[in-house]
Amino acid sequence: MLNEYFFVLKAEWMLIAIIFLLLFLKVGTSDWKNETLLYGINILLLVNLLVGFFSNLEGGLFSGMFHNDALLILEKNILNIGVYLVSLIAYPWLKKHEHVLEFYILLLTTLLGMFFMISSGNLLLFYLGLEMSTIPLAAIANFDLDKRKSSEAAMKMIISSAFSSALLLFGVSLIYGTTGTLVFTEITPLLNGSPLQLLAFILLLAGFSFKMSVVPFHLWTADVYEGAPVAVTAYLSVISKSAILFIFLQVLYVVFKPMSSEWYFMLFFLSILTILLGNLFAMRQTNLKRFLAFSSIAQVGFILLGLSAGSKTGMASVIYFLLIYMFSNLAAFGVIGLVSASTGKESIDDFKGFYKTNPFLSWILAIALFSLAGVPPTAGFFGKFFLIMAGAERGNYVWVIFAALNMIISFYYYLKVVKAIFMDPNDQPIEKLTVPALPKLAFVICLTGMVLTGILSWIYEYIHTLSNF
Amino acid sequence: MNLTLFLLFPLATAIAILLASGLKQIRVIALIGSLLQLALSGKLLLAYYEQRAAGNQSQMLFEYVQKWYGPLNLQYHIGVDGISIAMILLTAFVVVAGILVSWETEHLSKEFFFLLVLLSLGAYGFFISLDVFTMFFFLEVAVIPKFLLIGIWGSGKKEYSAMKLALMLMGGSALILVGMLGIYFSSKTAGGAHSFDLLELAKMNIPLARQMLFFPFAFIGFGIFTAIFPFHTWVPDGHASAPTAASMFLAGISMKLGGYGCLRVATYLMPDAAHAYSWVIILLATIAIIYGAFATMMQTDLKYINAYSSVSHCGFVLLGIGMLTQTSINGAVMQMVSHGLMTALFFAAIGMVYSRTHTRMVAQLGGLLKIMPFISTVFVIAGLCSLGLPGFSGFAAEMTVFMGSWQNPDKWYRLATILACASIVVTAVYILRAAGKSIMGPLGNDSYKDLTDAKWYEKSAAILLIFGILVVGMAPFWLINLIQPGTEFIMNKLAVVATGL
């Protein structure tokens, strides 16, 4: 029994241990240099990541409130990889920061919240995990302490997430009102699509849409992404989005399975809107972070398309896409973060002529953008192809054609950045930057991920076998 | 014969280029890689004859299937028939020539040759694939190199052209994506799964309504790659702005990907729809031929002349496919080979002239024959081939297309054939005018007197391509015999009209 408490919760225990260790370090004053501290923490995170692959135990705890299975273990490992990468690319920024320990404590707390959220079997624990993963995030969005925009981002984020939580809670209360239970497995058989339940679902969906930044609930995204430090933006757009999508998959595919024809049409409209608006706004951006914010909104629209399949392939394609999206987006944010930390430049125009001075970084950024655009041989191609393929499963070709045509628009704005990097002349390009070892490691991992995740089909096949639907 | 070598060779070359340093090393590696590839293509041809002589009648030879993405039933399925071998040979010729003419690319040479090799990798992969998914994969692999090649090393309004080309080709890909998903979800193998396998799909009949819906997507999608009217506008800008080797690759290889896809995927897999829509294809092709020819007349830039004439010439490919007779489809494939060689030669010649005179305007050139006899001769040969002089490949290919087209008894189709034939007169006008003005007559500029003739690498590139043109032109039956077995299978599928299901 004790064994179970330890191993089923292993990923969570690991994080708790690291968080406490960092807390003790903080309390027991030490005058370690930032570099040493960062190297130490990154090694800890690497250990955490590696341990995640071994001696995992599946099972339920606390009478089904918390459960762990092979798919969830995989999802947690994906999140662990992501956090490790974020930590690596945050190095140039954190090196000069005076609150490194606090940053990691807050960051890992949000990760812990996400772990609880995706493992939850009960709306209560789900809500708890969700809040635990959001509130500390708002705090670290404010971590560029001397920038006003950063505080603005934190404020916007906390208000909008409080609002979405309220919607979500209202939905939960209606579910409880109509079914009399909060346990996932007990809710499902009691769903009959009555108007009240439909309203409950719409409220839940709205709450989720806020967190995933689905149009029309996306308004906070660009401002927060722009204002927050690059590492936090990367974390927000990749890790927390993936986590919320993981639980969204469970909620749609398992809990609300009886209402699948209802949610299908809701997803259809949300996805069309999201892709279109995300793309249209992304075209007009001049700040790279805002640009990636809107492009990531459009990506979510594609994810909804894959999600709509409601089948095993749909589930697998979404998780697979998120894995690839993580590598690509983090690589892009890594380059932007490095440039921003050393020169403070973030606009697309500043990147003109970037290739002349920084060929390595340019290629990383270009490949990341190609992967986001879905161009082979990068993995992004496979990810997007399988999403669209899953979407076509139900035969809704209007949606498929719409998505395919929108890929051209997205291709345009990604290429615009590539054009700036490689082709546009610039008298004062960004000077040659030295890439520290840790971000370099992150780039190598991301590059390997962006190339190999696609060509090696067994990764997808593995996810497919785990997709327990 | 292991066809995967066609992917491994370019891949190894590309990696070697990345590791090498200095223009001298890089270009030698690129040349050796492409020559090996040419040798491999030759060996493939011989192995093919050997198999056929031994009585192997199967549709595809040297097949190899490897499961890729098992749950979705995607495969890495490769194999070749005569049509693909013709295309592979064409690619190998053009790649060697393209690398030779870029011998002195100083600016970012590593990236330049790397992208050229990557582009060729996409083309080889496309031609050996027998699975629609892998075909699509390789088709798109070739898009990014084109964008970068034009945008970085190009001339004129290169950024605009690069973007236009990339977006239009991406648009084509998007349409193909919809078409292929439609095919995929209309298919059902024995096991009940869907399939992208070309040969599996050819065995089943896609329901008529599905064909009517998805044929336009697939055909126009691939058609954009081969400059179908009205989606031909990327061709002039793209070709004119591209560096010489990239123009050669674009016109010589890349546009052929589209024609091959139209034939192999759209027409072969959806024969009923191909019959139903053939009038649309013919109409668009005829417009492209005539419009292309007249638009060429108005051009003053040599590269634009060749680019617009490419629109016109690729119209013959689509015309041949649209007519749906065996001879016309043979002709279409021949036209692809012929146009690939000829237009690559033309662009090479233009590149050689441009690198010396620094102008491509016909009005500013003149009297080149006296100063650079070799380049001028190449120029004239390319021109004569383009206007379809007997003895060169252009005549053999276009003649086959016209003969095949005439076999289609419908009077409107015959009208289209007549109109297409008439366009040759226009071709003669613009070719003779351009060649006459720039090669004959007095010197366009006194400073031209000191210019030198072709260097050894330029000569070898030109001789290689002229050799190809002459082989196809003098011995067209050799090529027809090669592609005939391939087209027969397509014709058999087309003959089973309107099964409906």
Side-chain angles (χ1 to χ4, degrees):
Chain A
M1 190 61 200
L2 210 59
N3 206 18
E4 228 173 60
Y5 274 110
F6 188 77
F7 282 107
V8 174
L9 280 168
K10 194 196 66 188
E12 288 77 11
W13 282 124
M14 286 292 297
L15 281 182
I16 292 171
I18 298 176
I19 292 171
F20 271 92
L21 186 67
L22 297 180
L23 267 178
F24 284 132
L25 276 181
K26 182 67 202 168
V27 175
T29 46
S30 62
D31 45 0
W32 284 354
K33 278 197 333 198
N34 262 357
E35 277 90 346
T36 344
L37 210 54
L38 282 168
Y39 271 94
I41 292 171
N42 277 311
I43 289 170
L44 274 180
L45 286 178
L46 181 63
V47 171
N48 173 45
L49 166 64
L50 293 178
V51 169
F53 288 97
F54 301 105
S55 58
N56 291 299
L57 197 62
E58 301 178 20
L61 285 177
F62 316 119
S63 51
M65 200 168 222
F66 181 96
H67 66 98
N68 207 9
D69 58 31
L71 183 71
L72 289 171
I73 292 165
L74 175 79
E75 291 175 350
K76 285 175 188 173
N77 283 333
I78 292 177
L79 293 179
N80 267 335
I81 298 173
V83 168
Y84 181 59
L85 289 173
V86 169
S87 164
L88 290 177
I89 62 172
Y91 176 80
W93 169 65
L94 282 177
K95 203 173 60 177
K96 301 177 201 150
H97 207 283
E98 43 190 325
H99 297 290
V100 173
L101 282 169
E102 289 91 326
F103 176 79
Y104 276 100
I105 291 168
L106 289 169
L107 188 80
L108 294 178
T109 312
T110 66
L111 185 64
L112 186 64
M114 286 169 200
F115 280 9
F116 278 118
M117 178 175 79
I118 61 177
S119 272
S120 60
N122 183 311
L123 283 169
L124 210 58
L125 185 64
F126 158 67
Y127 180 69
L128 214 63
L130 184 71
E131 287 305 297
M132 192 169 161
S133 69
T134 326
I135 295 171
L137 254 183
I140 50 174
N142 192 14
F143 246 57
D144 263 342
L145 296 170
D146 45 353
K147 279 190 195 158
R148 288 174 66 105
K149 274 207 164 171
S150 188
S151 326
E152 187 192 324
M155 202 63 206
K156 275 191 177 143
M157 188 170 166
I158 197 90
I159 290 175
S160 64
S161 72
F163 183 58
S164 71
S165 296
L167 289 177
L168 205 95
L169 272 182
F170 192 21
V172 170
S173 71
L174 286 180
I175 296 274
Y176 186 71
T178 54
T179 62
T181 176
L182 287 173
V183 183
F184 285 174
T185 46
E186 291 172 14
I187 292 172
T188 315
L190 294 174
L191 289 177
N192 49 20
S194 69
L196 205 54
Q197 280 178 353
L198 210 58
L199 180 63
F201 178 74
I202 291 173
L203 287 168
L204 272 181
L205 187 64
F208 273 111
S209 302
F210 253 110
K211 309 277 178 193
M212 297 185 293
S213 53
V214 167
V215 176
F217 308 102
H218 66 290
L219 293 163
W220 60 281
T221 318
D223 291 338
V224 172
Y225 280 22
E226 189 189 0
V230 181
V232 181
T233 309
Y235 187 81
L236 265 173
S237 79
V238 181
I239 316 291
S240 64
K241 197 170 280 179
S242 302
I244 200 87
L245 271 159
F246 288 151
I247 183 69
F248 191 47
L249 267 177
Q250 296 289 331
V251 169
L252 276 190
Y253 280 35
V254 183
V255 184
F256 282 94
K257 196 178 172 190
M259 290 166 69
S260 71
S261 55
E262 281 91 349
W263 60 248
Y264 181 79
F265 281 101
M266 295 183 201
L267 287 190
F268 176 58
F269 290 114
L270 286 178
S271 158
I272 296 264
L273 269 180
T274 308
I275 295 178
L276 190 65
L277 267 113
N279 272 344
L280 291 182
F281 280 101
M283 271 199 288
R284 301 181 52 87
Q285 300 308 316
T286 51
N287 177 293
L288 265 174
K289 276 155 81 185
R290 277 185 90 85
F291 160 76
L292 281 176
F294 280 108
S295 84
S296 81
I297 290 176
Q299 304 273 7
V300 173
F302 284 100
I303 294 176
L304 292 186
L305 169 62
L307 208 60
S308 74
S311 65
K312 200 169 162 145
T313 32
M315 192 174 216
S317 68
V318 170
I319 297 173
Y320 179 68
F321 181 83
L322 285 172
L323 176 68
I324 294 162
Y325 174 70
M326 186 180 84
F327 288 126
S328 331
N329 226 1
L330 288 182
F333 274 120
V335 176
I336 296 165
L338 191 67
V339 172
S340 158
S342 20
T343 63
K345 290 178 176 171
E346 280 176 2
S347 102
I348 294 178
D349 286 342
D350 292 332
F351 274 76
K352 283 182 178 169
F354 191 51
Y355 186 65
K356 288 212 175 64
T357 46
N358 295 287
F360 173 71
L361 291 177
S362 299
W363 277 117
I364 297 285
L365 186 53
I367 293 174
L369 292 174
F370 290 147
S371 186
L372 286 171
V375 184
T378 59
F381 167 77
F382 295 90
K384 212 160 249 181
F385 189 92
F386 295 154
L387 278 183
I388 294 181
M389 198 161 157
E393 221 167 78
R394 286 215 190 176
N396 188 344
Y397 281 95
V398 177
W399 198 348
V400 172
I401 292 168
F402 181 81
L405 293 180
N406 266 278
M407 277 182 77
I408 310 171
I409 304 183
S410 69
F411 194 60
Y412 165 70
Y413 56 71
Y414 287 120
L415 279 189
K416 231 172 59 170
V417 180
V418 175
K419 179 173 91 89
I421 296 172
F422 283 92
M423 301 164 197
D424 288 342
N426 190 353
D427 299 331
Q428 294 156 315
I430 294 163
E431 69 267 32
K432 182 149 183 54
L433 303 172
T434 43
V435 188
L438 290 182
K440 200 174 255 175
L441 176 63
F443 292 143
V444 171
I445 297 174
C446 286
L447 192 62
T448 325
M450 284 188 287
V451 176
L452 291 187
T453 319
I455 311 264
L456 300 178
S457 59
W458 59 263
I459 298 174
Y460 176 84
E461 283 157 11
Y462 179 65
I463 296 174
H464 192 270
T465 45
L466 289 188
S467 301
N468 49 358
F469 174 68
Chain B
M1 173 120 194
N2 187 353
L3 288 175
T4 306
L5 288 177
F6 278 101
L7 298 177
L8 294 180
F9 274 32
L11 200 63
T13 316
I15 292 170
I17 288 175
L18 284 186
L19 298 177
S21 62
L23 173 61
K24 283 194 177 132
Q25 278 185 29
I26 290 168
R27 65 191 185 191
V28 169
I29 292 173
L31 181 62
I32 291 175
S34 62
L35 282 175
L36 282 176
Q37 196 82 342
L38 183 61
L40 195 66
S41 315
K43 192 164 165 267
L44 174 67
L45 183 66
L46 295 180
Y48 173 84
Y49 281 136
E50 207 171 279
Q51 288 284 323
R52 286 284 188 238
N56 189 343
Q57 293 300 322
S58 53
Q59 184 181 3
M60 295 291 168
L61 297 179
F62 316 117
E63 272 187 73
Y64 173 78
V65 186
Q66 165 75 43
K67 244 187 166 25
W68 205 23
Y69 291 99
L72 300 173
N73 207 13
L74 306 186
Q75 294 164 334
Y76 170 69
H77 184 182
I78 49 174
V80 286
D81 63 358
I83 304 177
S84 355
I85 291 179
M87 291 294 139
I88 288 171
L89 279 171
L90 165 70
T91 310
F93 266 80
V94 176
V95 170
V96 174
I99 283 172
L100 280 171
V101 298
S102 344
W103 202 245
E104 306 236 300
T105 307
E106 302 269 356
H107 178 55
L108 298 176
S109 50
K110 183 180 281 190
E111 289 85 346
F112 184 79
F113 285 102
F114 176 77
L115 290 173
L116 282 187
V117 173
L118 193 63
L119 181 47
S120 76
L121 173 79
Y124 285 120
F126 183 81
F127 290 132
I128 60 172
S129 293
L130 289 182
D131 182 280
V132 184
F133 177 75
T134 17
M135 276 177 99
F136 184 65
F137 173 79
F138 285 114
L139 184 71
E140 288 212 4
V141 163
V143 172
I144 288 300
K146 290 175 210 163
F147 172 73
L148 292 174
L149 280 170
I150 296 176
I152 300 177
W153 291 272
S155 54
K157 41 177 186 172
K158 54 184 182 170
E159 285 98 355
Y160 167 78
S161 310
M163 192 63 103
K164 187 171 182 179
L165 171 134
L167 288 180
M168 289 197 71
L169 295 189
M170 204 62 195
S173 298
L175 296 181
I176 297 169
L177 173 67
V178 176
M180 67 192 269
L181 284 177
I183 297 173
Y184 178 78
F185 285 107
S186 311
S187 68
K188 206 157 210 99
T189 56
H194 302 303
S195 174
F196 269 130
D197 190 303
L198 207 68
L199 300 183
E200 288 276 333
L201 286 169
K203 278 187 216 137
M204 41 191 132
N205 291 309
I206 296 169
L208 187 62
R210 287 295 187 113
Q211 289 193 25
M212 296 302 283
L213 182 58
F214 292 114
F215 180 83
F217 282 101
F219 197 92
I220 300 212
F222 281 113
I224 292 177
F225 279 79
T226 194
I228 195 171
F229 184 86
F231 302 107
H232 63 280
T233 51
W234 63 273
V235 178
D237 289 322
H239 286 55
S241 302
T244 306
S247 299
M248 290 166 70
F249 277 38
L250 267 178
I253 306 171
S254 177
M255 288 175 82
K256 308 301 165 286
L257 301 179
Y260 183 84
C262 283
L263 183 62
R264 184 76 97 196
V265 177
T267 309
Y268 184 38
L269 296 183
M270 295 182 274
D272 300 327
H275 278 290
Y277 283 116
S278 80
W279 68 272
V280 184
I281 302 171
I282 304 287
L283 183 67
L284 293 179
T286 315
I287 294 176
I289 292 170
I290 294 169
Y291 165 81
F294 278 105
T296 317
M297 293 246 290
M298 302 306 295
Q299 301 306 318
T300 51
D301 181 324
L302 281 175
K303 270 198 165 181
Y304 272 102
I305 290 182
N306 196 22
Y308 272 108
S309 85
S310 283
V311 173
S312 175
H313 283 117
C314 280
F316 289 119
V317 175
L318 292 171
L319 185 78
I321 294 174
M323 287 293 180
L324 299 174
T325 66
Q326 177 151 23
T327 319
S328 74
I329 290 182
N330 280 344
V333 177
M334 284 179 76
Q335 173 72 359
M336 282 199 262
V337 176
S338 151
H339 175 254
L341 292 168
M342 167 194 95
T343 198
L345 183 68
F346 215 148
F347 275 123
I350 295 170
M352 292 174 206
V353 171
Y354 179 66
S355 68
R356 288 170 174 74
T357 61
H358 302 291
T359 179
R360 292 189 310 243
M361 292 299 161
V362 177
Q364 293 170 18
L365 295 168
L368 296 182
L369 191 60
K370 294 166 206 150
I371 307 152
M372 18 186 158
F374 184 84
I375 297 177
S376 307
T377 317
V378 171
F379 195 90
V380 172
I381 291 177
L384 293 180
C385 182
S386 176
L387 63 78
L389 195 75
F392 295 118
S393 63
F395 172 76
E398 280 166 20
M399 196 61 205
T400 320
V401 172
F402 294 144
M403 273 161 56
S405 303
W406 197 257
Q407 286 170 6
N408 198 323
D410 186 282
K411 64 172 183 295
W412 292 106
Y413 285 24
R414 291 205 162 158
L415 178 67
T417 313
I418 293 170
L419 286 173
C421 279
S423 80
I424 290 196
V425 182
V426 185
T427 313
V429 172
Y430 64 72
I431 291 289
L432 292 177
R433 208 167 59 180
K437 174 73 188 70
S438 46
I439 289 179
M440 316 292 186
L443 275 190
N445 190 324
D446 284 341
S447 62
Y448 291 169
K449 259 183 296 194
D450 312 323
L451 298 177
T452 50
D453 204 359
K455 304 249 176 51
W456 67 268
Y457 48 86
E458 292 169 329
K459 282 185 183 165
S460 358
I463 289 170
L464 187 71
L465 291 173
I466 292 174
F467 169 74
I469 288 175
L470 288 178
V471 168
V472 177
M474 303 282 187
F477 284 103
W478 165 80
L479 187 60
I480 291 183
N481 288 337
L482 178 64
I483 57 187
Q484 181 94 349
T487 48
E488 250 161 36
F489 279 94
I490 295 174
M491 286 316 294
N492 289 342
K493 178 83 178 160
L494 278 168
V496 192
V497 186
T499 41
L501 268 188

